[in-house]
Amino acid sequence: MTEAAGLVPKRILVTGGTGLVGRAIEKVVADGEGRPEEEWIFVSSRDADLTNAAETKALFEQHKPTHVIHLAAMVGGLFKNIRYNLDFWRRNVHINDNVLHSAYKTGVQKVVSCLSTCIFPDKTTYPINESMVSISVPMHSPVGVPALLNSLLSCPQIHNGPPHSSNFGYSYAKRMIDIQNRGYFEQHGCRFTAVIPTNVFGPHDNFNIEDGHVLPGLIHKVYLAKQTGSALTVWGTGKPRRQFIYSLDLARLFLWVLREYDEVEPIILSVGEEDEVSIREAAEAIVEAMDFRGELLFDTTKADGQFKKTASNAKLRHYLPGFQFTPFRQAVKETCAWFSDNYANARK
């Protein structure tokens, strides 16, 4: 039917399809953002161990995707990263290499991978932007590995400083996706690209207090403090600042990148600099959303992590000047409601 209508069918494989962003993409597609010519396949670690090259190859041969959104990764919050930096490096490097190489070998037309703002150097100027990880990729025939390596090694932007020490394993593994994307383009002409979202949150997040990210961890803490009538203790000073993006907004942007964005260079997907909030302000938004009336305390003996990583969304705004982000407090309220309604089954 789609071919008769002049539409080219697409089989879109989403790795990490049952995680925070994968579930958001699935919801957005189901709610009307999908297109008739698109077949969406959401897979998880139950379908294949992506650290295993043979299993990854078999997954791609089974589904024969034309497009891939690559979300699968070992992820965690500040304190999990501090404890397991080597594990974050090794697992993510294996996953990314297997997925991108299988995509190349099976003729996938486009891959959109997910990076993170933690790839940027800890000591840098703000706001951070795409030029800080970009190298010039000449739009001509492939030039081979030696030329690629020379361009990488001579480029000051790509490694102009180490990431924050708290999550260097995860950060360097994510940086390598960008290098691989450029290598596959220069040597094989592959259209592999990546997005760089800021701090993502929403329904289906990991709300584990010890290992999750800051916002879902705080939501779980407030839920428990409200249940027990105890004070809410936030780890750290509450002063670090973050740009939070709602998972459903990010999902809509992923669809745009998959369909419309043609650059190999990554693109930052973020709310504006003016929407950056402190951890204290985020905690207060959760307290308000969950109607918590207890005491709010800060444990300053706990690490703060990176103070800020303010990102510019100027490139995104150039492409999509009219995109409307969900207001932060509304998104927090919806996420808190989802967590309360699904507490028994939520990841925690």
Side-chain angles (χ1 to χ4, degrees):
M1 182 176 177
T2 56
E3 290 180 283
L7 302 175
V8 179
K10 295 179 181 177
R11 290 174 59 83
I12 304 163
L13 180 71
V14 182
T15 70
T18 58
L20 167 64
V21 181
R23 287 294 189 96
I25 293 174
E26 187 174 28
K27 176 173 173 54
V28 166
V29 168
D31 286 350
E33 295 285 339
R35 293 180 177 175
E37 71 274 18
E38 296 173 343
E39 178 185 355
W40 290 83
I41 305 160
F42 295 86
V43 296
S44 72
S45 56
R46 292 191 182 94
D47 299 286
D49 175 6
L50 297 181
T51 65
N52 182 294
E55 288 194 30
T56 308
K57 178 184 177 184
L59 181 75
F60 274 72
E61 290 177 343
Q62 174 189 351
H63 293 293
K64 297 179 175 57
T66 60
H67 295 69
V68 173
I69 293 180
H70 175 37
L71 305 174
M74 177 183 178
V75 298
L78 170 64
F79 297 97
K80 185 176 181 180
N81 272 273
I82 290 173
R83 292 195 303 271
Y84 301 113
N85 264 300
L86 176 61
D87 293 352
F88 276 96
W89 161 260
R90 295 191 71 242
R91 286 185 62 83
N92 286 312
V93 163
H94 286 310
I95 290 170
N96 299 334
D97 186 52
N98 290 337
V99 167
L100 292 178
H101 195 62
S102 290
Y104 158 65
K105 294 295 283 186
T106 57
V108 170
Q109 297 170 28
K110 185 172 184 178
V111 178
V112 181
S113 296
C114 193
L115 307 185
S116 167
T117 50
C118 70
I119 67 174
F120 292 101
D122 181 33
K123 308 298 182 185
T124 189
T125 56
Y126 294 99
I128 52 183
N129 61 60
E130 292 85 356
S131 69
M132 294 177 179
V133 292
S134 294
I135 59 175
S136 176
V137 180
M139 303 301 285
H140 52 61
S141 59
V143 297
V145 174
L148 171 68
L149 290 177
N150 286 336
S151 67
L152 290 172
L153 293 172
S154 64
C155 175
Q157 297 100 327
I158 193 76
H159 289 300
N160 66 350
H164 194 270
S165 60
S166 63
N167 59 359
F168 70 86
Y170 180 79
S171 302
Y172 276 120
K174 286 294 186 180
R175 280 189 186 186
M176 293 305 105
I177 291 180
D178 182 60
I179 291 177
Q180 286 181 282
N181 285 346
R182 296 167 193 282
Y184 276 108
F185 175 77
E186 288 209 7
Q187 193 167 333
H188 300 297
C190 298
R191 289 292 176 175
F192 297 171
T193 190
V195 302
I196 309 173
T198 47
N199 293 62
V200 192
F201 72 99
H204 301 284
D205 208 337
N206 177 7
F207 293 86
N208 186 283
I209 293 172
E210 296 285 338
D211 295 338
H213 289 109
V214 59
L215 210 66
L218 284 173
I219 290 172
H220 194 179
K221 278 190 170 185
V222 173
Y223 180 92
L224 294 177
K226 187 175 179 181
Q227 295 293 314
T228 60
S230 57
L232 168 65
T233 301
V234 179
W235 291 345
T237 65
K239 294 178 181 178
R241 304 185 66 79
R242 296 290 183 266
Q243 288 158 291
F244 292 101
I245 182 171
Y246 194 30
S247 58
L248 296 177
D249 292 341
L250 181 59
R252 291 157 54 213
L253 290 171
F254 254 106
L255 266 59
W256 169 78
V257 171
L258 183 75
R259 295 164 178 165
E260 307 293 341
Y261 183 72
D262 290 329
E263 297 184 34
V264 175
E265 285 77 10
I267 183 169
I268 291 172
L269 303 181
S270 174
V271 298
E273 299 163 51
E274 69 278 5
D275 294 314
E276 188 175 57
V277 298
S278 69
I279 301 303
R280 173 184 284 273
E281 290 168 333
E284 290 170 347
I286 295 167
V287 164
E288 177 184 312
M290 302 190 79
D291 194 28
F292 174 72
R293 301 185 183 184
E295 189 176 7
L296 177 60
L297 304 174
F298 291 86
D299 182 357
T300 58
T301 66
K302 299 289 188 181
D304 269 338
Q306 192 168 1
F307 177 71
K308 66 182 293 185
K309 38 187 177 179
T310 313
S312 168
N313 69 353
K315 183 175 181 178
L316 174 64
R317 285 301 187 194
H318 171 76
Y319 279 108
L320 296 175
F323 186 85
Q324 296 292 316
F325 289 96
T326 306
F328 176 65
R329 286 184 177 270
Q330 178 186 334
V332 166
K333 187 174 182 179
E334 291 178 10
T335 304
C336 290
W338 182 91
F339 180 68
S340 296
D341 292 343
N342 296 274
Y343 183 78
N345 298 317
R347 286 188 295 159
K348 56 184 185 302

